[in-house]
């Protein structure tokens, strides 16, 4: 055996690594499940806890915002204390926070629980891709492992609506959160047995000032966006957004000066890395934002039970799984820019179909459109993640993975807030003129807040008002889908133009900056 052949054999992963990959897919499936089942539970939460429209939006997207805010910090923390150790700490915290969410008795309690789920979820996510990069050193095996990782996310999306619908059909809404508990128990037991420990023994101390700056950059910006959605662009909304931007600039300037920054900005010098992040942020953000209102349409406009709504979402999820599985084979023959951009145009057609859905017989058109959207985003998810991780030097794979997941989570949260503002604005504008003059103000206020609120008062306001409320909501969904489609079309053109230099079969190395010292693995038994 030649030296080169021996070196190649040494890089290849063995049975333990592939079993370890199964363990790493558990939190991936769970986080996808968590997002989809909550959307189905929104009408039930609204009926039980009676949140305002603002509280309902906070309940849905505070999870994504907290993940986005803490991902980079947790990725850096994992480099210092060990990625396996961080994964186990996060699993324990996520399980406990899930129990708290299931037992919530008020909107405020549920929002706090969801925030804790976001913080602990941020410890899980960067550990998975970083450990995959460490365990699978052979490029071909790493590509397969990432494809499996993305496909498992698709499986979570597929299973989530059906499993969540069944739980909501037979149990109370809190049962959807308890799904995480047995998964976290398995993760806690299997992780020490199958996953090696990795940490950077030469990494410096975490810069706490950078951690604080990252949070005060993200959270005021998010609050400002939500405030503007609820009350318009008033002084408080504009002021908090500007404050977040200012802190963001200060954060960037500080990272440039640090020898061991919380976020390595040199990665953005690589065009493939930057474009892939932007595509993931906007593409998944718009899809995630629309998904929330599609689930509400199925239950509140079409009148489907949760389990039936989940079954109608299954074709789109199956399309996502199939397309994700086929993407690696297509990528060997088609340039990434052309594959991602062309697939996104399929999503544009789906958005266009949903923009034509009506409130009486729109189910076939909605399901067809959603199948096309999911089919079109699959190559973006697989190749986008691979481009981000592959464009960075191997020793920076953990940092790159954290940025990739930050972009995805932050994008979905912003998509919910942005498209939610559109749907809410259209709904309130149209429902205001539909309410009879003799309706008590307390009832009218509930009807104006959300479609779920109007539906809960159907016996009081009558069939005609409910039908008009459903039409107003559907019109908001139409406009949001049209806007999303226009943005995705521009994104598709951008992907084709800006990524056309990348060849089929692998990302081009543009030089992401000087290599940092490679983190050495800590063995499972050395206690590091």
């Amino acid at each position: 055996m030649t030296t080169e052949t021996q070196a190649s054999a040494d890089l290849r992963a063995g049975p333990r690594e592939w079993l370890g990959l199964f363990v790493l897919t558990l939190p991936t499936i769970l986080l996808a499940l968590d997002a989809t089942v909550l959307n189905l539970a929104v009408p039930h939460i609204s009926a039980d806890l009676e949140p305002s429209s603002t509280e309902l939006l906070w309940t849905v997207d505070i999870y994504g915002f907290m993940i986005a805010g803490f991902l980079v910090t947790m990725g850096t923390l994992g480099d210092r204390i060990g990625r396996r150790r961080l994964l186990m700490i996060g699993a324990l915290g996520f399980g406990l926070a899930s129990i708290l969410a299931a037992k919530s008795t008020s909107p405020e309690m549920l929002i706090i629980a969801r925030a804790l789920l976001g913080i602990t979820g941020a410890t899980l996510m960067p550990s998975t891709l970083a450990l995959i990069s460490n365990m699978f050193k052979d490029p071909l095996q790493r590509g397969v492992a990432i494809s499996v990782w993305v496909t498992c996310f698709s499986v979570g999306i597929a299973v989530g609506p059906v499993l969540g619908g069944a739980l909501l059909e037979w149990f109370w809404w809190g049962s959807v959160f308890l799904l995480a508990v047995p998964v976290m128990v398995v993760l806690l037991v299997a992780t020490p047995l199958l996953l090696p420990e990795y940490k950077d023994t030469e990494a410096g101390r975490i810069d706490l000032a950078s951690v604080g700056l990252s949070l005060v950059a993200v959270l005021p910006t998010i609050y400002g966006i939500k405030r503007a959605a609820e009350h318009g662009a008033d002084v408080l909304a504009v002021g908090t957004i500007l404050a977040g931007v200012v802190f963001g600039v200060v954060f960037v300037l500080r990272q440039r000066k640090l020898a061991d920054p919380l976020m390595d900005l040199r990665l953005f010098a690589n065009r493939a890395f930057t474009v892939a992040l932007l595509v993931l942020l906007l593409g998944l953000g718009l899809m995630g934002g629309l998904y929330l209102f599609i689930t509400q349409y199925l239950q509140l406009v079409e009148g489907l039970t949760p389990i039936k709504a989940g079954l109608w979402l299954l074709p789109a999820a199956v399309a996502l799984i199939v397309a994700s599985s086929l993407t690696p084979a297509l990528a060997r023959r088609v340039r990434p820019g052309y594959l991602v951009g062309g697939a996104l145009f399929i999503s544009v057609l789906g958005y266009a179909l949903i923009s034509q859905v009506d409130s009486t017989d729109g189910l076939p058109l909605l399901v067809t459109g959603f199948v096309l959207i999911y089919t079109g985003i699959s190559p973006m998810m697989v190749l986008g993640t691979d481009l981000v991780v592959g464009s960075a030097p191997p020793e920076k794979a953990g940092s790159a993975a954290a940025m990739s997941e930050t972009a995805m989570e932050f994008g979905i949260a912003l998509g919910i807030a942005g498209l939610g503002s559109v749907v809410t604005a259209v709904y309130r504008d149209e429902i205001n003129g539909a309410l009879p003059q003799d309706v008590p103000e307390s009832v009218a206020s509930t009807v104006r807040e959300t479609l779920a609120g109007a539906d809960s008062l159907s016996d009081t306001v009558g069939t005609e008002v409910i039908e008009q409320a459903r039409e107003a909501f559907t019109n908001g969904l139409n406009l949001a889908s049209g806007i999303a489609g226009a943005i995705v079309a521009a994104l598709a053109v951008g992907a084709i133009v800006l990524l056309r230099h990348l060849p089929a079969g692998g990302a081009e190395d543009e030089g992401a900056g000087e290599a940092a010292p490679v983190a050495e693995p800590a063995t499972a038994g050395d206690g590091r």
Side-chain angles (χ1 to χ4, degrees):
M1 181 182 294
T2 65
T3 303
E4 184 176 329
T5 304
Q6 180 64 49
S8 176
D10 290 341
L11 288 176
R12 296 186 65 80
R16 181 180 179 184
E17 283 77 17
W18 290 108
L19 286 173
L21 177 62
F22 167 75
V23 176
L24 293 175
T25 62
L26 291 178
T28 305
I29 295 173
L30 177 64
L31 293 171
L33 269 171
D34 190 72
T36 54
V37 298
L38 178 70
N39 290 330
L40 284 174
V42 163
H44 301 266
I45 294 171
S46 298
D48 186 20
L49 302 183
E50 299 181 351
S52 66
S53 59
T54 301
E55 289 172 333
L56 187 60
L57 279 175
W58 271 113
T59 300
V60 173
D61 56 28
I62 187 64
Y63 171 78
F65 289 148
M66 297 307 287
I67 282 184
F70 279 93
L71 265 174
V72 174
T73 298
M74 294 304 179
T76 303
L77 180 63
D79 290 340
R80 282 141 174 88
I81 70 171
R83 293 164 185 168
R84 187 183 69 178
R85 180 180 297 176
L86 183 67
L87 184 65
M88 295 182 67
I89 293 172
L92 177 61
F94 198 92
L96 294 175
S98 297
I99 295 173
L100 179 64
K103 299 296 184 180
S104 294
T105 56
S106 68
E108 295 81 5
M109 184 177 175
L110 183 57
I111 290 170
I112 291 172
R114 289 278 294 167
L116 293 174
L117 284 170
I119 295 171
T120 54
T123 67
L124 302 174
M125 297 181 68
S127 301
T128 56
L129 268 180
L131 283 169
I132 286 175
S133 178
N134 293 139
M135 292 161 57
F136 297 91
K137 298 181 176 64
D138 179 76
L140 292 178
Q141 287 189 325
R142 185 172 63 245
V144 172
I146 290 177
S147 178
V148 170
W149 184 83
V150 173
T151 301
C152 285
F153 180 84
S154 308
V155 170
I157 291 177
V159 174
V162 178
L163 183 57
L167 289 173
L168 292 169
E169 186 84 9
W170 298 322
F171 303 103
W172 93 113
W173 59 263
S175 62
V176 301
F177 292 106
L178 295 180
L179 279 173
V181 177
V183 176
M184 291 298 100
V185 171
V186 173
L187 188 61
L188 285 169
V189 172
T191 293
L193 301 176
L194 296 174
L195 297 181
E197 180 64 286
Y198 287 91
K199 65 179 178 180
D200 186 355
T201 56
E202 298 181 3
R205 297 175 60 185
I206 292 181
D207 182 46
L208 295 180
S210 294
V211 174
L213 283 171
S214 68
L215 292 176
V216 295
V218 171
L219 297 182
T221 304
I222 298 307
Y223 175 81
I225 293 172
K226 298 180 71 60
R227 172 80 185 185
E230 178 72 14
H231 303 287
D234 57 14
V235 174
L236 182 57
V238 174
T240 51
I241 292 174
L242 290 177
V245 171
V246 169
F247 283 120
V249 171
V250 175
F251 172 79
V252 169
L253 293 176
R254 183 171 181 82
Q255 301 316 293
R256 289 180 177 275
K257 295 178 181 179
L258 294 174
D260 193 7
L262 189 68
M263 178 185 290
D264 191 347
L265 300 178
R266 291 176 298 175
L267 291 173
F268 289 96
N270 186 317
R271 192 208 309 177
F273 177 88
T274 304
V275 173
L277 275 183
L278 183 62
V279 169
L280 287 171
L281 188 149
L282 292 177
L284 287 180
L286 293 167
M287 181 276 294
L290 200 68
Y291 182 93
L292 168 65
F293 300 103
I294 286 175
T295 57
Q296 292 185 53
Y297 176 92
L298 291 173
Q299 294 182 80
L300 299 175
V301 176
E302 292 291 340
L304 301 177
T305 62
I307 192 168
K308 288 182 179 179
L311 289 172
W312 278 106
L313 290 171
L314 196 56
V318 171
L320 182 62
I321 293 172
V322 173
S324 298
S325 302
L326 294 176
T327 295
L330 292 173
R332 295 191 186 101
R333 297 171 174 82
V334 183
R335 288 175 177 263
Y338 298 155
L339 183 54
V340 171
L344 285 175
F345 277 118
I346 298 176
S347 286
V348 171
L349 179 59
Y351 285 113
L353 291 180
I354 293 177
S355 72
Q356 302 304 310
V357 167
D358 59 41
S359 60
T360 55
D361 58 354
L363 186 57
L365 196 61
L366 179 116
V367 172
T368 303
F370 207 43
V371 167
L372 292 175
I373 290 174
Y374 265 25
T375 302
I377 67 168
S378 298
M380 176 194 72
M381 292 175 64
V382 175
L383 294 182
T385 303
D386 191 40
L387 281 173
V388 170
V389 176
S391 296
E395 63 274 9
K396 295 181 181 178
S399 178
M403 291 186 200
S404 169
E405 291 169 355
T406 298
M408 288 190 282
E409 289 297 327
F410 195 65
I412 290 173
L414 285 178
I416 291 173
L419 295 183
S421 300
V422 173
V423 175
T424 299
V426 172
Y427 174 80
R428 289 178 178 174
D429 180 66
E430 295 191 8
I431 199 64
N432 272 333
L435 290 170
Q437 296 293 327
D438 58 347
V439 173
E441 179 56 32
S442 60
V443 174
S445 178
T446 301
V447 172
R448 283 193 293 263
E449 278 288 311
T450 61
L451 176 59
D455 190 67
S456 68
L457 295 173
S458 57
D459 293 337
T460 303
V461 298
T463 303
E464 183 177 351
V465 171
I466 294 301
E467 289 178 354
Q468 290 174 321
R470 290 171 177 168
E471 183 176 355
F473 178 87
T474 304
N475 290 339
L477 175 64
N478 295 155
L479 180 58
S481 186
I483 292 172
I487 297 173
V488 171
L491 196 63
V493 173
I496 292 172
V497 172
L498 296 175
L499 296 177
R500 68 183 185 276
H501 65 290
L502 297 177
E508 182 180 61
D509 184 7
E510 298 182 4
E514 296 181 11
V518 179
E520 297 184 0
T523 61
D526 67 1
R528 287 194 292 170

